[in-house]
Amino acid sequence: MNNENNNASLTIAPTTGKIIHFFSKRFIYFAFSLTIMIIGLITLATEGVQLDIQFKGGAMLKYTYTGDISADDADNVASEILGRPVSSNITEDMRTGDKRLVLNIAGNYGVDAKDQVKFDDALKAKFPDNKLELSESSMVEPFFGHKFLTNGVIAIVLSFSLVLVYVWIRFKKIGGLSAGFMAIVALVHDVLVVFFTCVVFRIPIGDSFVAVALSIIGYSVNDTIVIYDRIRENHDLHPKLEVDTLTDLSISQSITRSLNTNFAVFLSVTLVYVMAHINSIDSIQSFALPMAIGSVSGCYSTICIAGPLWVMWQKHKAKKAEVRR
């Protein structure tokens, strides 16, 4: 296809539809993505990443209370009684106004019933006027946490591999391996955006992250396949069209569909996030916020990253083939 394009003495422009020139602005898009990655890496280096107890093991205790409580004082009580690192934070149910003290207890084991009673008594003695009541507790052994983390990573890597093979086979006509590889670059971009969203907003990395990553991979690769499909069709319709114009034309023809689809996803998960935030449902919030941002990233990477990168690969291949002659 590239040889045909390079040998063409005349560029045949399509007669219908407006072409948006994405390829000529590719370095602006690349710089924008690079900036997001740098901000994410800086935040990761300075703030670190929070692993949910599902992945690292340990215990999480949630208390409801009234009045005001110092999270640092609660940390000190827990560390003194349990002899383990404890981090706590305070949340508030926007709908009911209920306040919650959430304690994350690190360690290679949970909290046995005897220690939990001892800690409960000490906490209530420290804050006697705040009507503390244990509302929820979770315990995960580190062995299972490590297993969940490993299986989550395997699921994401396996999905990348299957996408690469699928695109490689299905789009052989437009250079299947290059199309598959650039689709993977876009997917890695999207998963990193989701990961850095969790880092920046201090959302613990747990099973919700794996669910969001796999969902975004599905949405993003679907958009990419639609554009590759259109490139393949337009290649047959306009065989002498330059590869960058061909790609810009195909993206321009598909962009409305991509935007509408992803806007619908973004709107729905944003509403879910708002309702979860109002009702203080942490597990839903940790899914909905990364999902909303990931859906925007998936649309952006399909249009501004995968297509222009594929064109660069094709042009590079054509140039190398010309040098060999």
Side-chain angles (χ1 to χ4, degrees), residues 8 38 43 49 86 107 113 119 208 282 297:
I38 290 173
T43 309
V49 59
V86 177
F119 167 67
S208 293
D282 296 340
S297 174

Side-chain angles (χ1 to χ4, degrees), residues 241-262:
L241 207 60
E242 291 286 349
V243 66
D244 51 345
T245 307
L246 179 72
T247 303
D248 284 343
L249 171 65
S250 303
I251 296 174
S252 301
Q253 292 173 337
S254 310
I255 192 169
T256 302
R257 177 194 178 282
S258 295
L259 291 176
N260 287 342
T261 302
N262 286 280

Side-chain angles (χ1 to χ4, degrees), residues 25 27 47-48 107 139 142 153 158 161-162 170 180 189 214 242:
K25 298 181 178 65
F27 292 116
E47 302 292 334
M139 314 282 177
V153 173
L158 186 61
S161 304
L162 292 175
R170 180 170 173 183
H189 170 281
L214 294 177
E242 291 286 349

Side-chain angles (χ1 to χ4, degrees), residues 210-255:
V210 177
V212 172
L214 294 177
S215 301
I216 294 301
I217 288 171
Y219 277 113
S220 183
V221 78
N222 181 57
D223 280 347
T224 304
I225 285 173
V226 168
I227 289 177
Y228 283 159
D229 235 352
R230 190 54 64 93
I231 290 174
R232 187 171 55 184
E233 291 172 6
N234 283 330
H235 174 249
D236 293 336
L237 292 172
H238 312 286
K240 293 184 178 180
L241 207 60
E242 291 286 349
V243 66
D244 51 345
T245 307
L246 179 72
T247 303
D248 284 343
L249 171 65
S250 303
I251 296 174
S252 301
Q253 292 173 337
S254 310
I255 192 169

